[in-house]
Amino acid sequence: MKSAIHDLLRAAVATLAVDGQFDSSTLPAPQLDRTRDVMHGDFATNIALLLAKQFGMKPRDLAQQLVSALPASPLLARVEIAGPGFINFFLTEAAYHAEIPRILQAGHNFGRSQHGAGQRVQVEFVSANPTGPLHVGHGRGAAYGAVVADLLAAIGFDVHREYYVNDAGRQMDILGTSVWLRYLELCGENLRFPSNGYKGDYVWDIAATLHREHGDAYRVDAVELFANLPVDAATVDEPPRENGDKEAHIDGLIAAAKRLLGDNRYRYVFELGLNVILDDIRADLAAFGVEYQEWFSERSLTESGAVNRAIARLRSGGHLYEQDGALWFRSTAFGDEKDRVVVRDNGQMTYFASDIAYHMDKLERGFDRVIDIWGADHHGYIPRVKAALTALGDDVNRLDVLLVQFAILYRSGEKAQMSTRSGEFVTLRQLRNEVGCDAARFFYVMRRCEQHLDFDLDLAKSQSADNPVYYVQYAHARVSSVLRQAVEKGLALEPSAGVTNLELLTAEHELALLRTLTRYPELVETAALRAEPHQLTQYLRELANDFHTYYNAQQFLVADVALRDARLKLILATRQVLRNGLNLLGVSAPESM
RNA sequence: GCGCCCGUAGCUCAGUCCGGAUAGAGCAACGGCCUUCUAAGCCGUGGGUCGCAGGUUCAAGUCCUGCCGGGCGCGCCA
């Protein structure tokens, strides 16, 4: 609908440009906006104000000429010039009525478009280390990423959803070692669990599996294991101690574990921990309605030689240097605040080295656009990744990093704190079980991603008007209920009947609802392009409000057959749009509540 | 100290990209609406120096500069 009016406007501007000897390509493209106030019509443009200077005319005079140059259209009831020179477009009721069969015919495709056709986009999100269950912070990234991906797919992009699995590195060694130590305790060994180890119950569970299936096959003498290790720091329950170093202690434990178990047995414990947790994350996300095309292994980057290749490319470009026994990337040459180590003095690759290789690999896979969705605490990491891509000679503009701020849970006004390491956290699974997937998905994307999210558990659970997700779902259920009763009373409409009777929809509430319905395709497109799912939640609340208002003002199942038919078509179209929008959010559209 | 994000009604937030018309919504408060399709709903009323100060502009919540407040980050951790 908007594009039709936009075409008329562009034609008028082009006509005037020719008359006035202007090259239309040098003029700003006319913007057409939805009006805020119905007094200003349906659409408005400020193009006369913007072009007045170039055309050497007063804005209102230019506006008048533009209006005269507008091609005739059955969509336009009238066009007015207002204020300093705005041009306001008032659409005919028929223009709105014609949208109803369009919505009904398009069905679940209404709002979808081919805007991004032919372009491949990768969206990488969540990518939490598989060292424990996902917590509520990951949940926001999951919901946000999934909806952004679905929005982009809705406007025609070929979307590749990916989870980067950190299945290598020190944190995973700490997890494997934590599992093994718990196992030793189950074997009856007496030991002091390291302050830096993973203390969650899930570690005990994995250790119990190992013990149940393999008995004492992985047991060693704890006294021998802990001999000659650097002193650990104090845990939170212990009095402070001097000279403790939790990092050196855990690294010593990892090295001892590898030595005492040998490669094969160490590997087995490590893999057991990784696989159990990764399976849990997969199941958790699947239950949350989040699906991926690919789970990309960090380890595979080393095995495929991608990391070495990335380093070689940086080296041949002269971007690497050695200092203090380590290999550094001169990222300051590309705007980073300091240079970064890619190979440590002990020969180990840093996480950053893998990440360079990963992003190099992403671009090599030919995506037109690569979107990373990270927690806001990683924002300092953006300059170095972009620096690396620039140094590699890749087009850094293909990468967008979107930062998602923290989600803070509130229960009866109190914050719920979370930390994976201490084992005291609220998991995504707990949240899903408590408030349900629908409320969780909706609440997570209700705010702009740059905004801290106050997640009110009590509100998310409440079945009342306060709860926006129920409010929208209730509108859908209400339409369904009316349609059910129409069938029961033998009043079912014939959806294929086309535009017949729609001219009877002239009440203010009906036209307001229609106006909102026709905004949907525009809304989906901007929400997708700007990666702003909250626009969709906002819109659905407005649409639900328009419907509830209409519902309270008019009876649908009236005796007048023609009027009833028209109203049923309108609410059927409303249900379709509610359903399409909820579907994009990953929220169910219940037939009854 | 440096960098990123945020600051709009009592509360939670839209609106800022790309400057436009009297700054919007929900909650909370107050007052109405169920013999009629689900009251999980609707309608109405009150409530704002858009953090502060300058600047640009015909026009600034929106753009620029400087402050102030809050969050996060500044490892040869991931």
Side-chain angles (χ1 to χ4, degrees):
Chain A
M1 168 175 262
K2 181 184 177 183
S3 60
I5 309 299
H6 212 160
D7 289 345
L8 299 176
L9 176 61
R10 272 192 288 259
V13 172
T15 302
L16 255 66
V18 171
D19 292 351
Q21 309 281 309
F22 286 97
D23 179 359
S24 55
S25 63
T26 63
L27 301 175
Q31 290 287 315
L32 185 69
D33 299 308
R34 290 275 178 174
T35 56
R36 254 197 311 228
D37 187 335
V38 287
M39 297 297 289
H40 300 139
D42 298 290
F43 293 94
T45 181
N46 65 349
I47 188 65
L49 292 153
L50 296 179
L51 292 182
K53 211 168 263 179
Q54 280 184 62
F55 276 73
M57 298 173 69
K58 290 179 179 171
R60 283 191 68 106
D61 293 345
L62 177 58
Q64 186 54 58
Q65 292 208 13
L66 280 166
V67 171
S68 304
L70 275 174
S73 168
L75 298 176
L76 293 178
R78 64 180 198 278
V79 181
E80 289 181 354
I81 297 165
F86 295 105
I87 301 174
N88 294 333
F89 297 84
F90 292 75
L91 271 58
T92 57
E93 292 183 357
Y96 282 107
H97 295 154
E99 289 295 303
I100 294 179
R102 204 167 290 168
I103 295 169
L104 296 179
Q105 195 177 1
H108 69 270
N109 284 321
F110 182 71
R112 304 184 88 87
S113 73
Q114 291 303 307
H115 184 96
Q119 291 191 66
R120 293 173 63 219
V121 182
Q122 188 210 40
V123 183
E124 182 220 322
F125 59 109
V126 185
S127 299
N129 283 351
T131 52
L134 297 177
H135 58 65
V136 294
H138 301 126
R140 188 176 186 191
Y144 178 76
V147 178
V148 166
D150 287 354
L151 279 167
L152 288 168
I155 62 166
F157 286 95
D158 179 6
V159 180
H160 186 84
R161 300 161 184 82
E162 188 158 309
Y163 188 117
Y164 182 53
V165 182
N166 297 117
D167 52 5
R170 182 163 168 269
Q171 291 304 320
M172 288 307 302
D173 280 318
I174 294 176
L175 175 78
T177 300
S178 298
V179 167
W180 184 53
L181 292 172
R182 290 307 192 197
Y183 159 86
L184 291 179
E185 290 184 72
L186 291 173
C187 289
E189 293 291 331
N190 202 357
L191 59 84
R192 179 184 170 285
F193 196 79
S195 60
N196 211 20
Y198 287 99
K199 300 189 184 71
D201 288 341
Y202 60 93
V203 177
W204 281 112
D205 294 341
I206 301 167
T209 301
L210 183 64
H211 188 240
R212 188 170 59 246
E213 294 181 358
H214 297 280
D216 282 357
Y218 292 81
R219 183 170 183 173
V220 304
D221 180 2
V223 174
E224 185 186 349
L225 170 62
F226 279 80
N228 304 316
L229 287 184
V231 177
D232 194 3
T235 63
V236 282
D237 335 304
E238 296 170 337
R241 54 168 83 168
E242 308 225 345
N243 305 325
D245 184 339
K246 61 181 182 177
E247 307 292 350
H249 179 72
I250 196 94
D251 283 338
L253 267 175
I254 291 166
K258 288 178 176 173
R259 191 180 67 245
L260 294 169
L261 282 172
D263 279 351
N264 286 344
R265 285 196 302 166
Y266 180 82
R267 202 75 231 159
Y268 183 87
V269 176
F270 182 101
E271 294 289 327
L272 178 69
L274 169 65
N275 290 331
V276 168
I277 291 172
L278 203 51
D279 285 348
D280 175 77
I281 289 174
R282 282 192 162 102
D284 199 10
L285 288 172
F288 197 38
V290 178
E291 300 286 349
Y292 289 92
Q293 274 71 54
E294 186 163 352
W295 295 72
F296 191 99
S297 157
E298 177 187 358
R299 209 188 293 160
S300 73
L301 289 168
T302 311
E303 290 165 357
S304 71
V307 178
N308 285 331
R309 199 154 48 78
I311 289 175
R313 276 178 64 184
L314 288 175
R315 193 195 306 275
S316 69
H319 303 300
L320 300 183
Y321 63 91
E322 283 190 39
Q323 186 178 306
D324 304 330
L327 191 61
W328 296 70
F329 166 49
R330 195 176 285 107
S331 55
T332 48
F334 303 96
D336 198 6
E337 57 188 21
K338 63 174 296 246
D339 291 343
R340 310 290 172 177
V341 171
V342 287
V343 183
R344 294 204 265 163
D345 57 5
N346 64 8
Q348 284 188 337
M349 302 282 184
T350 59
Y351 177 87
F352 179 46
S354 302
D355 232 35
I356 295 171
Y358 182 42
H359 284 86
M360 176 186 80
D361 179 86
K362 287 185 181 199
L363 295 183
E364 282 175 351
R365 279 187 269 165
F367 295 111
D368 297 289
R369 193 172 167 209
V370 169
I371 298 174
D372 287 0
I373 295 173
W374 294 350
D377 53 335
H378 284 66
H379 73 261
Y381 210 72
I382 299 173
R384 75 190 71 166
V385 171
K386 292 199 165 180
L389 289 178
T390 307
L392 287 168
D394 284 318
D395 179 10
V396 77
N397 293 318
R398 279 156 67 195
L399 170 68
D400 281 312
V401 182
L402 305 178
L403 298 173
V404 179
Q405 297 286 339
F406 292 147
I408 304 159
L409 292 184
Y410 286 89
R411 190 192 304 281
S412 3
E414 301 227 343
K415 270 188 197 180
Q417 209 36 270
M418 66 207 81
S419 148
T420 314
R421 195 64 58 86
S422 67
E424 300 164 16
F425 53 86
V426 181
T427 63
L428 174 59
R429 182 171 279 115
Q430 287 166 346
L431 179 73
R432 287 196 290 106
N433 290 339
E434 181 166 346
V435 308
C437 278
D438 285 345
R441 292 279 297 235
F442 197 97
F443 272 63
Y444 268 136
V445 299
M446 221 164 36
R447 303 290 174 228
R448 267 165 53 224
C449 66
E450 299 93 337
Q451 192 72 247
H452 288 260
L453 176 68
D454 289 338
F455 196 121
D456 185 334
L457 291 166
D458 306 309
L459 178 60
K461 276 188 295 185
S462 77
Q463 304 200 350
S464 75
D466 320 1
N467 189 340
V469 63
Y470 280 102
Y471 182 79
V472 176
Q473 288 181 316
Y474 181 48
H476 184 272
R478 258 187 162 174
V479 178
S480 300
S481 173
V482 172
L483 294 172
R484 265 198 309 277
Q485 291 182 47
V487 171
E488 285 167 13
K489 294 177 183 172
L491 304 177
L493 82 171
E494 179 51 58
S496 60
V499 296
T500 319
N501 301 326
L502 293 177
E503 69 280 0
L504 298 174
L505 299 175
T506 58
E508 191 43 52
H509 293 318
E510 290 164 341
L511 293 169
L513 182 54
L514 274 166
R515 267 192 292 273
T516 304
L517 287 173
T518 60
R519 272 172 50 208
Y520 181 70
E522 300 158 32
L523 187 282
V524 171
E525 184 168 308
T526 56
L529 293 176
R530 293 167 59 172
E532 293 183 346
H534 74 274
Q535 290 199 20
L536 187 50
T537 62
Q538 200 92 0
Y539 169 83
L540 289 173
R541 291 167 75 166
E542 283 175 44
L543 178 58
N545 179 245
D546 286 337
F547 170 74
H548 287 310
T549 300
Y550 181 37
Y551 180 97
N552 277 271
Q554 306 284 347
Q555 185 81 13
F556 306 142
L557 300 177
V558 291
D560 182 332
V561 178
L563 184 60
R564 187 177 68 223
D565 182 61
R567 288 180 174 168
L568 287 180
K569 278 176 188 153
L570 174 56
I571 66 168
L572 194 61
T574 303
R575 183 172 70 164
Q576 187 68 59
V577 174
L578 285 168
R579 190 177 281 179
N580 292 1
L582 286 170
N583 183 49
L584 276 175
L585 293 175
V587 176
S588 69
E591 298 288 323
S592 65
M593 292 172 72

